[in-house]
Amino acid sequence: MSIYYKMVFGILVTEVSVFSVLALPLPSKIRKPLVSVLVRPFLNDVIQMAIKCMLGFVLLLFVDSVNRLYTVKQELDAVNPAGAYSSSRMEVLSRKFFAQRNMYLTGITLFLTFVVVRTFNLVRELLQLKDHYQISSPDYDTTAKEKRNVELKKELESQITERDAEIERLKEKAKALQKEI
């Protein structure tokens, strides 16, 4: 296997592992930080460009392997079928095997790239919808509601004491005005 296809195989293994992590049924408390860690590198423009170039090269390798498979198939058709186990036929068959292997390797890598991107976007959208639903839900985060209730009670008490002080001041003023009359 040449270095190109070893690199493609490495990409494939990485994509399979990322897809497996995304597909695991994890709770939102674990999944949300995990997705944020996974998305952080892909927000960089340099990394995005490198990934696009890498996928372009994988696509070129795929087209090359399809072309090579086609030429090997033509060679196999040209080999004398009477010598079923001749060395030239076995050599062409082995080249056909390698061409098919390379085609499937690059093809599944390209396909899995699009599957991982789509799955990642779906998981991110799911987490955003869960957050939105929990925020609008009436039983969302009771501790936050309790804190808000305590703040509102303190504010209400301060307003009541200010109002009572204002009422006392106005009563004293009214008594003073009544004495003048």
Side-chain angles (χ1 to χ4, degrees):
M1 188 186 276
S2 69
I3 192 161
Y4 302 125
Y5 294 110
K6 286 181 182 178
M7 291 171 58
V8 170
F9 184 71
I11 294 168
L12 179 65
V13 169
T14 304
E15 289 175 347
V16 167
S17 62
V18 168
F19 181 75
S20 299
V21 168
L22 287 175
L24 285 175
L26 298 172
S28 295
K29 290 180 180 179
I30 296 172
R31 185 179 298 244
K32 191 173 183 179
L34 183 67
V35 169
S36 67
V37 165
L38 286 175
V39 78
R40 195 168 291 138
F42 297 106
L43 297 176
N44 189 350
D45 291 337
V46 174
I47 292 176
Q48 284 182 355
M49 185 59 70
I51 289 172
K52 288 176 185 176
C53 291
M54 179 186 64
L55 289 176
F57 289 129
V58 172
L59 181 64
L60 285 174
L61 286 172
F62 177 72
V63 171
D64 181 52
S65 64
V66 168
N67 188 22
R68 187 170 295 148
L69 182 64
Y70 180 71
T71 57
V72 169
K73 185 180 180 308
Q74 285 180 340
E75 286 180 29
L76 187 62
D77 291 342
V79 172
N80 185 8
Y85 295 108
S86 67
S87 63
S88 63
R89 181 171 170 82
M90 294 305 264
E91 187 231 335
V92 173
L93 283 173
S94 68
R95 286 192 305 157
K96 181 180 178 184
F97 167 75
F98 291 128
Q100 286 177 341
R101 178 200 63 190
N102 294 341
M103 181 188 70
Y104 290 129
L105 179 66
T106 54
I108 196 69
T109 302
L110 288 173
F111 175 73
L112 196 56
T113 299
F114 297 120
V115 169
V116 167
V117 168
R118 182 67 181 142
T119 305
F120 180 75
N121 288 334
L122 286 173
V123 167
R124 219 172 64 202
E125 184 179 337
L126 175 70
L127 289 174
Q128 289 173 351
L129 288 174
K130 276 186 177 181
D131 287 344
H132 179 70
Y133 174 73
Q134 286 178 346
I135 289 172
S136 64
S137 176
D139 59 334
Y140 171 69
D141 199 12
T142 56
T143 58
K145 285 185 178 182
E146 289 174 2
K147 288 179 184 177
R148 179 72 177 145
N149 285 342
V150 168
E151 290 174 5
L152 289 175
K153 284 181 183 178
K154 287 180 182 177
E155 185 178 331
L156 185 62
E157 288 174 4
S158 67
Q159 288 178 357
I160 288 173
T161 55
E162 288 176 10
R163 189 190 65 196
D164 289 343
E166 183 70 19
I167 287 174
E168 290 299 320
R169 189 185 63 79
L170 289 175
K171 281 183 182 178
E172 290 174 6
K173 191 174 182 181
K175 285 181 184 177
L177 286 174
Q178 196 172 23
K179 285 183 182 178
E180 282 183 16
I181 296 180

